[in-house]
């Protein structure tokens, strides 16, 4: 569904990422794993069309979308919900921006609330929700603005351990139900192993894709997967490549 070919991006003559090639298939969850400063967020800005690369292209379902914002949805680390709008209006906003009538946009968004674990929250404001619930609302907003693909930049990093674990399981379930493909940035090796079908390792200055690791464990993964020797083997492998 999504392919980047030979992407390079520079600022002020300084190359941030170079010759980046990735692919995302239908229904896949792919993690981009690497240390801070490797250019992961820069790559996401290129994929989403917010930056135009010096070289290379971004293709979505065969269409060249390089430098064209609004084609691929992008969720940042913070939920960025507007505090003066209800949760329903926050989630309906991308549909309204695309030209949908407000009443119809609300109707479309409201129909997804139960699926996203937000039933009963339509008329609440972001400050009335927990961090996990705000992230669910932000994910729904991202889904409604997507074309089957979402870019997520550490969306669960601010959550406590128990909430994060619950969100992982929930996201994998809802992603399968709505047939959403996901490209996911993380610094958390455990999170990458738990969620991913494949993991791209990004490192260096300028940042490049230096390796690819396939997590060959069927989903849904066992609740005690993190305690297994297989999990530890993947973790040792990824640590050695980072």
């Amino acid at each position: 569904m999504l392919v980047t070919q030979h992407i390079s991006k520079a600022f002020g003559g300084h190359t941030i990422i170079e010759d980046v090639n990735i692919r995302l298939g239908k229904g896949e969850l792919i993690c981009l794993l690497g240390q801070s400063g490797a250019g992961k967020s820069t790559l996401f800005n290129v994929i989403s069309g917010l930056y135009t690369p010096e070289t290379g292209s971004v293709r979505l379902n065969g269409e060249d979308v390089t430098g064209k914002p609004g084609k691929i949805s992008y969720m940042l680390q913070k939920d960025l919900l507007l505090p003066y709008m209800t949760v329903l209006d926050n989630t309906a906003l991308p549909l309204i921006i695309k030209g949908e009538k407000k009443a119809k946009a609300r109707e479309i968004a409201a129909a997804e609330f139960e699926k996203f674990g937000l039933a009963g929250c339509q008329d609440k404001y972001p400050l009335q929700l927990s961090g996990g619930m705000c992230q669910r609302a932000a994910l729904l907003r991202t889904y409604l603005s997507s074309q089957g693909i979402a870019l997520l930049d550490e969306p669960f990093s601010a959550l406590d351990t128990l909430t994060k674990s619950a969100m992982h399981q929930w996201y994998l379930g809802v992603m399968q139900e709505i047939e959403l493909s996901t490209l996911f940035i993380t610094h958390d090796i455990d999170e990458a192993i738990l969620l991913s079908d494949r993991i791209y390792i990004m490192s260096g200055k300028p940042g490049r894709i230096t390796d690819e690791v396939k997590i060959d464990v069927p989903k849904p993964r066992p609740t005690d997967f993190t305690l297994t020797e297989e999990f530890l083997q993947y973790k040792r492998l990824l640590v050695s490549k980072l």
Side-chain angles (χ1 to χ4, degrees):
M1 294 185 72
L2 175 69
V3 177
T4 74
Q5 295 177 307
H6 308 297
I7 294 291
S8 297
K9 179 63 183 174
F11 294 99
H14 178 61
T15 302
I16 307 299
I17 56 176
E18 187 172 62
D19 196 28
V20 176
N21 299 277
I22 63 173
R23 57 188 172 83
L24 175 67
K26 185 175 182 179
E28 279 192 307
L29 193 154
I30 306 302
C31 271
L32 195 62
L33 180 65
Q35 297 178 351
S36 296
K40 300 183 298 298
S41 293
T42 297
L43 176 61
F44 266 31
N45 279 310
V46 171
I47 294 173
S48 65
L50 298 176
Y51 294 164
T52 300
E54 269 61 49
T55 64
S57 65
V58 180
R59 304 191 73 84
L60 175 63
N61 295 318
E63 177 190 357
D64 189 340
V65 296
T66 312
K68 298 177 181 178
K71 298 288 186 177
I72 299 173
S73 57
Y74 180 10
M75 178 176 162
L76 302 172
Q77 294 177 32
K78 295 181 180 180
D79 59 70
L80 299 179
L81 298 176
L82 299 173
Y84 54 86
M85 294 177 70
T86 65
V87 176
L88 179 58
D89 284 340
N90 264 288
T91 56
L93 186 58
L95 299 173
I96 295 170
I97 291 172
K98 288 183 176 183
E100 193 67 72
K101 297 289 187 181
K102 189 173 184 178
K104 182 62 175 178
R106 284 174 164 174
E107 180 183 337
I108 294 170
E112 303 292 340
F113 265 56
E114 184 171 355
K115 189 181 299 178
F116 276 75
L118 292 166
C121 296
Q122 288 90 328
D123 297 325
K124 292 186 177 181
Y125 289 85
L127 288 175
Q128 296 174 289
L129 301 185
S130 67
M133 294 294 277
C134 283
Q135 291 302 86
R136 288 175 187 245
L139 285 163
L140 173 53
R141 182 182 58 191
T142 302
Y143 166 62
L144 290 173
S145 64
S146 75
Q147 295 187 31
I149 289 178
L151 308 180
L152 307 183
D153 190 346
E154 296 194 84
F156 309 130
S157 60
L159 302 177
D160 63 80
T161 302
L162 292 176
T163 303
K164 181 187 288 190
S165 178
M167 287 291 289
H168 286 163
Q169 295 302 316
W170 168 79
Y171 186 72
L172 289 174
V174 77
M175 179 184 157
Q176 184 176 16
E177 185 177 352
I178 64 179
E179 298 183 336
L180 184 67
S181 303
T182 305
L183 189 60
F184 189 105
I185 286 177
T186 185
H187 294 94
D188 186 332
I189 294 175
D190 289 12
E191 183 173 64
I193 298 169
L194 283 168
L195 295 178
S196 303
D197 296 296
R198 291 182 290 117
I199 299 171
Y200 284 111
I201 306 295
M202 194 167 185
S203 60
K205 292 184 182 297
R208 299 178 176 88
I209 300 298
T210 55
D211 220 319
E212 179 183 344
V213 174
K214 182 179 180 182
I215 307 299
D216 198 16
V217 180
K219 293 180 180 178
R221 288 166 185 158
T223 54
D224 63 348
F225 179 49
T226 57
L227 304 176
T228 65
E229 179 59 30
E230 188 173 18
F231 179 89
L232 292 175
Q233 288 175 356
Y234 279 120
K235 190 167 185 176
R236 293 187 194 104
L237 175 63
L238 290 169
V239 168
S240 70
K241 292 181 180 298
L242 287 168

